[in-house]
Amino acid sequence: MARSEQHSHGSHDHASATTNRSRLGWAIAIVATVLIVEIVGAVATGSLALLADAGHMASDLIGLIVALVATIVAARPATERHSFGFQRVEVFAALFNGLLLIGVAAFVAIEGVSRLITPDDVQIPPVPLLVVAAIGLIANFAALMLLRGGASSSLNMRGAYLEVFGDLLGSATVIVASLVILFTGFAPADAIASLVIAAMIIPRAVSLLRDVIRVLLQQTPVETDVAEIRSHILAEEGVVDVHDVHVWAVTTGKNIFSAHVVVEPAVFERGDSGRLLDRLSMCLSAHFDVRHSTFQIEPAEHAQHEEHLHP
């Protein structure tokens, strides 16, 4: 029996984590500044839409801080008790962010409906509302561009990216509401805008939580075709069968693979098991972006014995 393990390049992962921390740091600074501006603007204008966007932004600020802490913890090296390291902390951070987004959406929706059902006499000055929302739009766009680079490689960074993207849409919605009030005097546009913001938050939160659950349940990554992996392994010279195939992810982009590979007796007779392991590992790394692979090479009689032990 022989085993082979392939590890990701530590220097590349470290550089990526450092870059993500820097992106998150700048995004936090931008969002915190805009949050203060929006809170002041909401108090000054009495705008529920602006207050909703500020509340959304406050939750996102907390989420970004959690995401930053997660990247720091995830960068810690593996230990005997944590053999895969702490990378899954990023997944739990994304879970927190998703639940936080849903909570904010529920609060905003309740407040928006309440104001539509029982409208008050608050007069919302559209020009200050427009100015504050425009500042938020520009700042959120800058933060979004900062986070975009890491959104495809980390579930945690994707959660942060979606939060800021939601802020961007929220600011755009407030701008539309302020223009409606400015040109038509239709005050309920503010409450309607808050409901639109809530409606935009929910799908993104659900999508993020779906990805988190997929990782926590150790489901096969969406982009991975197990049947295709099997065919690649079976195509290697000397391989006659493959079974007990498992593919899962520690976190986004960190796929793990294990399998039992049945080979011809000649592979052992020639002493080629080591070279076969190298070819299999290189195949998975090159074609399926598997960061860590483990193969158990076994003769046919051992495979039959395993079938007896594990029906």
Side-chain angles (χ1 to χ4, degrees), residues 104-151:
V104 170
F107 171 78
V108 170
I110 292 171
E111 289 297 314
V113 171
S114 175
R115 182 168 289 195
L116 286 176
I117 294 175
T118 58
D120 51 32
D121 296 328
V122 175
Q123 297 297 319
I124 301 174
V127 174
L129 180 62
L130 177 61
V131 171
V132 172
I135 293 173
L137 182 71
I138 295 171
N140 284 322
F141 181 78
L144 193 72
M145 292 299 100
L146 279 171
L147 298 174
R148 184 176 62 175

Short mmCIF file of all heavy atoms in Angstrom, two decimals, residues 104-151:
data_model
loop_
_atom_site.label_atom_id
_atom_site.label_comp_id
_atom_site.label_asym_id
_atom_site.label_seq_id
_atom_site.Cartn_x
_atom_site.Cartn_y
_atom_site.Cartn_z
N VAL A 104 -30.60 42.14 9.09
CA VAL A 104 -30.75 43.54 8.66
C VAL A 104 -31.92 43.68 7.69
O VAL A 104 -32.72 44.62 7.80
CB VAL A 104 -29.45 44.05 8.02
CG1 VAL A 104 -29.66 45.40 7.35
CG2 VAL A 104 -28.36 44.15 9.06
N ALA A 105 -32.04 42.76 6.76
CA ALA A 105 -33.12 42.81 5.78
C ALA A 105 -34.48 42.73 6.47
O ALA A 105 -35.42 43.46 6.11
CB ALA A 105 -32.98 41.66 4.77
N ALA A 106 -34.60 41.86 7.47
CA ALA A 106 -35.87 41.73 8.20
C ALA A 106 -36.22 43.03 8.93
O ALA A 106 -37.37 43.49 8.89
CB ALA A 106 -35.78 40.57 9.19
N PHE A 107 -35.22 43.64 9.58
CA PHE A 107 -35.46 44.89 10.31
C PHE A 107 -35.90 46.00 9.36
O PHE A 107 -36.87 46.73 9.63
CB PHE A 107 -34.19 45.30 11.05
CG PHE A 107 -34.26 46.68 11.65
CD1 PHE A 107 -34.95 46.90 12.83
CD2 PHE A 107 -33.65 47.76 11.03
CE1 PHE A 107 -35.03 48.17 13.38
CE2 PHE A 107 -33.72 49.04 11.57
CZ PHE A 107 -34.42 49.24 12.75
N VAL A 108 -35.19 46.12 8.25
CA VAL A 108 -35.50 47.17 7.28
C VAL A 108 -36.90 46.97 6.70
O VAL A 108 -37.67 47.92 6.54
CB VAL A 108 -34.44 47.19 6.15
CG1 VAL A 108 -34.89 48.10 5.01
CG2 VAL A 108 -33.10 47.66 6.70
N ALA A 109 -37.24 45.72 6.38
CA ALA A 109 -38.56 45.43 5.80
C ALA A 109 -39.68 45.79 6.78
O ALA A 109 -40.69 46.39 6.39
CB ALA A 109 -38.64 43.95 5.42
N ILE A 110 -39.51 45.42 8.04
CA ILE A 110 -40.53 45.73 9.05
C ILE A 110 -40.72 47.23 9.20
O ILE A 110 -41.85 47.74 9.25
CB ILE A 110 -40.15 45.09 10.40
CG1 ILE A 110 -40.24 43.56 10.30
CG2 ILE A 110 -41.07 45.60 11.52
CD1 ILE A 110 -39.68 42.83 11.50
N GLU A 111 -39.62 47.96 9.27
CA GLU A 111 -39.70 49.41 9.42
C GLU A 111 -40.32 50.07 8.19
O GLU A 111 -41.12 51.01 8.30
CB GLU A 111 -38.31 49.99 9.68
CG GLU A 111 -37.74 49.66 11.04
CD GLU A 111 -38.58 50.26 12.16
OE1 GLU A 111 -38.95 51.44 12.06
OE2 GLU A 111 -38.87 49.53 13.13
N GLY A 112 -39.97 49.56 7.02
CA GLY A 112 -40.52 50.13 5.78
C GLY A 112 -42.01 49.93 5.68
O GLY A 112 -42.76 50.86 5.34
N VAL A 113 -42.48 48.72 5.97
CA VAL A 113 -43.91 48.45 5.93
C VAL A 113 -44.65 49.27 6.97
O VAL A 113 -45.74 49.82 6.71
CB VAL A 113 -44.17 46.94 6.16
CG1 VAL A 113 -45.66 46.67 6.34
CG2 VAL A 113 -43.63 46.13 4.99
N SER A 114 -44.06 49.40 8.15
CA SER A 114 -44.68 50.18 9.22
C SER A 114 -44.87 51.63 8.79
O SER A 114 -45.93 52.23 9.04
CB SER A 114 -43.81 50.10 10.48
OG SER A 114 -44.33 50.94 11.49
N ARG A 115 -43.87 52.20 8.13
CA ARG A 115 -43.99 53.60 7.72
C ARG A 115 -45.01 53.77 6.59
O ARG A 115 -45.68 54.80 6.51
CB ARG A 115 -42.63 54.14 7.28
CG ARG A 115 -42.67 55.61 6.90
CD ARG A 115 -41.31 56.24 6.74
NE ARG A 115 -40.63 56.41 8.01
CZ ARG A 115 -39.55 57.19 8.18
NH1 ARG A 115 -39.06 57.85 7.15
NH2 ARG A 115 -38.98 57.28 9.36
N LEU A 116 -45.14 52.76 5.74
CA LEU A 116 -46.14 52.85 4.67
C LEU A 116 -47.56 52.72 5.23
O LEU A 116 -48.49 53.38 4.76
CB LEU A 116 -45.90 51.76 3.62
CG LEU A 116 -44.70 51.97 2.68
CD1 LEU A 116 -44.52 50.76 1.77
CD2 LEU A 116 -44.89 53.23 1.84
N ILE A 117 -47.72 51.85 6.23
CA ILE A 117 -49.05 51.65 6.82
C ILE A 117 -49.46 52.83 7.68
O ILE A 117 -50.61 53.29 7.63
CB ILE A 117 -49.07 50.35 7.67
CG1 ILE A 117 -48.88 49.13 6.76
CG2 ILE A 117 -50.38 50.23 8.45
CD1 ILE A 117 -48.76 47.83 7.51
N THR A 118 -48.53 53.33 8.46
CA THR A 118 -48.82 54.48 9.32
C THR A 118 -47.85 55.61 9.00
O THR A 118 -46.90 55.86 9.74
CB THR A 118 -48.69 54.08 10.80
OG1 THR A 118 -47.36 53.58 11.03
CG2 THR A 118 -49.71 53.03 11.17
N PRO A 119 -48.08 56.29 7.89
CA PRO A 119 -47.17 57.38 7.49
C PRO A 119 -47.20 58.52 8.49
O PRO A 119 -48.24 58.87 9.04
CB PRO A 119 -47.73 57.82 6.13
CG PRO A 119 -49.15 57.40 6.15
CD PRO A 119 -49.22 56.14 6.96
N ASP A 120 -46.04 59.09 8.76
CA ASP A 120 -45.98 60.24 9.66
C ASP A 120 -45.83 61.51 8.84
O ASP A 120 -45.89 61.50 7.61
CB ASP A 120 -44.83 60.10 10.66
CG ASP A 120 -43.52 59.76 9.97
OD1 ASP A 120 -43.33 60.22 8.83
OD2 ASP A 120 -42.69 59.05 10.57
N ASP A 121 -45.63 62.60 9.53
CA ASP A 121 -45.56 63.90 8.84
C ASP A 121 -44.13 64.38 8.63
O ASP A 121 -43.88 65.57 8.45
CB ASP A 121 -46.32 64.95 9.68
CG ASP A 121 -47.81 64.64 9.76
OD1 ASP A 121 -48.32 64.07 8.78
OD2 ASP A 121 -48.41 64.94 10.80
N VAL A 122 -43.19 63.46 8.67
CA VAL A 122 -41.80 63.84 8.48
C VAL A 122 -41.57 64.34 7.05
O VAL A 122 -41.93 63.67 6.09
CB VAL A 122 -40.86 62.64 8.75
CG1 VAL A 122 -39.41 63.01 8.44
CG2 VAL A 122 -40.99 62.20 10.20
N GLN A 123 -41.00 65.50 6.94
CA GLN A 123 -40.67 66.07 5.64
C GLN A 123 -39.20 65.79 5.35
O GLN A 123 -38.31 66.20 6.08
CB GLN A 123 -40.92 67.58 5.64
CG GLN A 123 -42.38 67.96 5.87
CD GLN A 123 -43.28 67.44 4.74
OE1 GLN A 123 -42.92 67.51 3.56
NE2 GLN A 123 -44.45 66.92 5.12
N ILE A 124 -38.97 65.06 4.29
CA ILE A 124 -37.60 64.64 3.97
C ILE A 124 -37.02 65.58 2.91
O ILE A 124 -37.51 65.62 1.77
CB ILE A 124 -37.58 63.20 3.45
CG1 ILE A 124 -38.16 62.26 4.51
CG2 ILE A 124 -36.16 62.77 3.08
CD1 ILE A 124 -38.33 60.84 4.05
N PRO A 125 -35.97 66.35 3.26
CA PRO A 125 -35.34 67.24 2.28
C PRO A 125 -34.56 66.41 1.25
O PRO A 125 -33.60 65.73 1.61
CB PRO A 125 -34.41 68.10 3.13
CG PRO A 125 -34.12 67.29 4.34
CD PRO A 125 -35.33 66.46 4.59
N PRO A 126 -34.97 66.45 0.01
CA PRO A 126 -34.36 65.56 -0.99
C PRO A 126 -32.91 65.89 -1.36
O PRO A 126 -32.14 64.98 -1.66
CB PRO A 126 -35.29 65.72 -2.20
CG PRO A 126 -35.92 67.06 -2.03
CD PRO A 126 -36.07 67.25 -0.55
N VAL A 127 -32.54 67.17 -1.34
CA VAL A 127 -31.19 67.53 -1.78
C VAL A 127 -30.12 66.99 -0.83
O VAL A 127 -29.15 66.34 -1.28
CB VAL A 127 -31.06 69.06 -1.96
CG1 VAL A 127 -29.60 69.43 -2.27
CG2 VAL A 127 -31.98 69.55 -3.08
N PRO A 128 -30.23 67.24 0.51
CA PRO A 128 -29.24 66.62 1.41
C PRO A 128 -29.22 65.10 1.31
O PRO A 128 -28.17 64.47 1.38
CB PRO A 128 -29.69 67.08 2.80
CG PRO A 128 -30.48 68.32 2.55
CD PRO A 128 -31.17 68.08 1.24
N LEU A 129 -30.41 64.51 1.14
CA LEU A 129 -30.51 63.06 0.99
C LEU A 129 -29.74 62.59 -0.24
O LEU A 129 -29.01 61.61 -0.20
CB LEU A 129 -31.98 62.66 0.88
CG LEU A 129 -32.29 61.16 0.72
CD1 LEU A 129 -31.82 60.39 1.93
CD2 LEU A 129 -33.79 60.98 0.50
N LEU A 130 -29.88 63.35 -1.34
CA LEU A 130 -29.20 63.02 -2.59
C LEU A 130 -27.68 63.13 -2.43
O LEU A 130 -26.93 62.26 -2.91
CB LEU A 130 -29.68 63.96 -3.70
CG LEU A 130 -29.02 63.80 -5.08
CD1 LEU A 130 -29.27 62.40 -5.62
CD2 LEU A 130 -29.56 64.87 -6.04
N VAL A 131 -27.23 64.17 -1.74
CA VAL A 131 -25.79 64.39 -1.57
C VAL A 131 -25.16 63.26 -0.75
O VAL A 131 -24.12 62.69 -1.13
CB VAL A 131 -25.52 65.75 -0.89
CG1 VAL A 131 -24.04 65.87 -0.51
CG2 VAL A 131 -25.93 66.89 -1.81
N VAL A 132 -25.81 62.91 0.36
CA VAL A 132 -25.27 61.86 1.22
C VAL A 132 -25.25 60.52 0.48
O VAL A 132 -24.28 59.76 0.55
CB VAL A 132 -26.10 61.74 2.52
CG1 VAL A 132 -25.65 60.52 3.33
CG2 VAL A 132 -25.95 63.01 3.35
N ALA A 133 -26.33 60.22 -0.25
CA ALA A 133 -26.40 58.96 -0.99
C ALA A 133 -25.34 58.90 -2.08
O ALA A 133 -24.77 57.83 -2.35
CB ALA A 133 -27.79 58.79 -1.58
N ALA A 134 -25.08 60.03 -2.72
CA ALA A 134 -24.06 60.07 -3.78
C ALA A 134 -22.67 59.81 -3.20
O ALA A 134 -21.86 59.09 -3.80
CB ALA A 134 -24.10 61.42 -4.49
N ILE A 135 -22.41 60.37 -2.03
CA ILE A 135 -21.13 60.11 -1.35
C ILE A 135 -20.99 58.62 -1.05
O ILE A 135 -19.95 58.00 -1.27
CB ILE A 135 -21.01 60.94 -0.05
CG1 ILE A 135 -20.92 62.44 -0.39
CG2 ILE A 135 -19.80 60.50 0.76
CD1 ILE A 135 -20.98 63.33 0.84
N GLY A 136 -22.09 58.03 -0.56
CA GLY A 136 -22.08 56.60 -0.26
C GLY A 136 -21.85 55.76 -1.49
O GLY A 136 -21.12 54.76 -1.45
N LEU A 137 -22.47 56.15 -2.60
CA LEU A 137 -22.32 55.40 -3.85
C LEU A 137 -20.87 55.39 -4.31
O LEU A 137 -20.31 54.33 -4.67
CB LEU A 137 -23.20 56.02 -4.93
CG LEU A 137 -23.19 55.30 -6.30
CD1 LEU A 137 -23.92 53.97 -6.19
CD2 LEU A 137 -23.84 56.18 -7.37
N ILE A 138 -20.22 56.54 -4.30
CA ILE A 138 -18.83 56.64 -4.75
C ILE A 138 -17.91 55.84 -3.85
O ILE A 138 -17.04 55.08 -4.31
CB ILE A 138 -18.40 58.12 -4.81
CG1 ILE A 138 -19.21 58.88 -5.87
CG2 ILE A 138 -16.91 58.23 -5.11
CD1 ILE A 138 -19.01 60.38 -5.84
N ALA A 139 -18.10 55.98 -2.53
CA ALA A 139 -17.24 55.29 -1.58
C ALA A 139 -17.43 53.77 -1.67
O ALA A 139 -16.46 53.00 -1.62
CB ALA A 139 -17.53 55.78 -0.17
N ASN A 140 -18.67 53.33 -1.79
CA ASN A 140 -18.93 51.90 -1.88
C ASN A 140 -18.36 51.30 -3.16
O ASN A 140 -17.89 50.15 -3.16
CB ASN A 140 -20.43 51.62 -1.82
CG ASN A 140 -20.99 51.77 -0.42
OD1 ASN A 140 -20.35 51.41 0.55
ND2 ASN A 140 -22.19 52.32 -0.31
N PHE A 141 -18.39 52.07 -4.23
CA PHE A 141 -17.81 51.59 -5.48
C PHE A 141 -16.30 51.39 -5.32
O PHE A 141 -15.74 50.40 -5.80
CB PHE A 141 -18.09 52.57 -6.61
CG PHE A 141 -17.53 52.14 -7.94
CD1 PHE A 141 -18.18 51.17 -8.69
CD2 PHE A 141 -16.35 52.69 -8.43
CE1 PHE A 141 -17.66 50.74 -9.91
CE2 PHE A 141 -15.82 52.28 -9.65
CZ PHE A 141 -16.48 51.31 -10.40
N ALA A 142 -15.65 52.33 -4.62
CA ALA A 142 -14.21 52.20 -4.39
C ALA A 142 -13.91 50.95 -3.55
O ALA A 142 -12.98 50.20 -3.84
CB ALA A 142 -13.70 53.45 -3.68
N ALA A 143 -14.71 50.73 -2.49
CA ALA A 143 -14.50 49.55 -1.64
C ALA A 143 -14.76 48.26 -2.42
O ALA A 143 -14.07 47.25 -2.24
CB ALA A 143 -15.42 49.63 -0.42
N LEU A 144 -15.76 48.30 -3.30
CA LEU A 144 -16.10 47.13 -4.11
C LEU A 144 -14.94 46.75 -5.02
O LEU A 144 -14.60 45.57 -5.16
CB LEU A 144 -17.35 47.42 -4.94
CG LEU A 144 -18.02 46.22 -5.60
CD1 LEU A 144 -18.72 45.37 -4.54
CD2 LEU A 144 -19.04 46.67 -6.64
N MET A 145 -14.31 47.73 -5.63
CA MET A 145 -13.17 47.46 -6.50
C MET A 145 -11.99 46.87 -5.72
O MET A 145 -11.24 46.04 -6.23
CB MET A 145 -12.73 48.76 -7.21
CG MET A 145 -13.74 49.29 -8.21
SD MET A 145 -14.08 48.11 -9.59
CE MET A 145 -15.64 47.39 -9.04
N LEU A 146 -11.85 47.30 -4.46
CA LEU A 146 -10.78 46.76 -3.62
C LEU A 146 -10.98 45.27 -3.33
O LEU A 146 -10.04 44.49 -3.34
CB LEU A 146 -10.74 47.52 -2.28
CG LEU A 146 -10.02 48.88 -2.26
CD1 LEU A 146 -10.28 49.57 -0.93
CD2 LEU A 146 -8.52 48.68 -2.48
N LEU A 147 -12.24 44.89 -3.08
CA LEU A 147 -12.54 43.52 -2.66
C LEU A 147 -12.75 42.56 -3.82
O LEU A 147 -12.74 41.34 -3.62
CB LEU A 147 -13.79 43.52 -1.77
CG LEU A 147 -13.68 44.30 -0.46
CD1 LEU A 147 -15.02 44.32 0.25
CD2 LEU A 147 -12.61 43.67 0.45
N ARG A 148 -12.96 43.08 -5.02
CA ARG A 148 -13.31 42.23 -6.15
C ARG A 148 -12.25 41.17 -6.43
O ARG A 148 -12.57 40.02 -6.76
CB ARG A 148 -13.54 43.08 -7.40
CG ARG A 148 -13.99 42.27 -8.61
CD ARG A 148 -14.30 43.16 -9.79
NE ARG A 148 -13.14 43.91 -10.24
CZ ARG A 148 -13.12 44.68 -11.32
NH1 ARG A 148 -14.22 44.83 -12.03
NH2 ARG A 148 -12.02 45.32 -11.67
N GLY A 149 -10.98 41.53 -6.28
CA GLY A 149 -9.90 40.60 -6.60
C GLY A 149 -9.89 39.34 -5.75
O GLY A 149 -9.44 38.29 -6.20
N GLY A 150 -10.37 39.43 -4.50
CA GLY A 150 -10.33 38.26 -3.63
C GLY A 150 -11.65 37.51 -3.56
O GLY A 150 -11.72 36.44 -2.92
N ALA A 151 -12.70 38.02 -4.21
CA ALA A 151 -14.04 37.43 -4.08
C ALA A 151 -14.14 36.04 -4.69
O ALA A 151 -14.94 35.22 -4.25
CB ALA A 151 -15.08 38.34 -4.71
#
